[in-house]
Amino acid sequence: MSATFDLELVSPEKLLLSRPVEMAIIPAAEGEMGVLPGMAPMIVALKGGVIRVQEKGTITERLFVLGGFAEITPGRVTVLADEATPVGALSRAAATARVKEAEAAYAAAATSATAEEREAAMDRLLAAREMALAAEAA
């Protein structure tokens, strides 16, 4: 049997996942990160993207997160997501609408907002685009 670690994915609404897995690929703010059992402890920020869960050598679950944090310890990974949805449940129409809203918000922020507000608007736009890509692939 392969080594495993406990993976928990929590959104503000509910606990979405809690079970032992072999590997998780998470959308860390610095880029995708593969998490394996025995990893060094760390806390990483997440960007909008898909968490892929691997069990028995196969990707068994794909969950879209809109950002958040992951706490990694050698035996457990806890993902605290701002928003999380199984990829299969994503709506293309809703994702497209979210991209349009984020584009409008970014355009408005580009001229009158502070640098931090523009950066936050860009983060929302990039996350919405990732959601649209995940919805298309589902």
Side-chain angles (χ1 to χ4, degrees):
M1 181 172 163
S2 298
T4 62
F5 62 91
D6 293 327
L7 174 63
E8 287 191 346
L9 177 67
V10 181
S11 74
E13 295 83 31
K14 64 181 177 178
L15 175 67
L16 287 148
L17 180 78
S18 180
R19 67 173 182 261
V21 301
E22 292 174 355
M23 180 177 177
I25 302 160
I26 61 174
E30 296 81 20
E32 283 197 338
M33 178 180 180
V35 181
L36 295 166
M39 294 275 297
M42 64 184 84
I43 295 177
V44 296
L46 301 178
K47 63 180 181 176
V50 176
I51 294 178
R52 296 184 306 274
V53 177
Q54 181 174 311
E55 299 169 289
K56 298 181 183 174
T58 304
I59 300 295
T60 58
E61 197 148 1
R62 298 174 64 230
L63 301 137
F64 180 82
V65 294
L66 199 61
F69 292 90
E71 179 185 20
I72 300 168
T73 65
R76 172 184 296 281
V77 173
T78 303
V79 175
L80 303 171
D82 296 336
E83 182 180 322
T85 308
V87 170
L90 291 174
S91 160
R92 291 180 185 169
T96 300
R98 190 173 269 194
V99 169
K100 289 182 188 211
E101 290 169 9
E103 286 172 341
Y106 181 70
T111 58
S112 62
T114 66
E116 292 82 15
E117 291 168 333
R118 285 191 301 274
E119 185 176 336
M122 176 55 79
D123 288 345
R124 285 190 299 276
L125 175 57
L126 293 174
R129 288 180 176 165
E130 286 294 325
M131 177 184 270
L133 288 172
E136 286 293 321

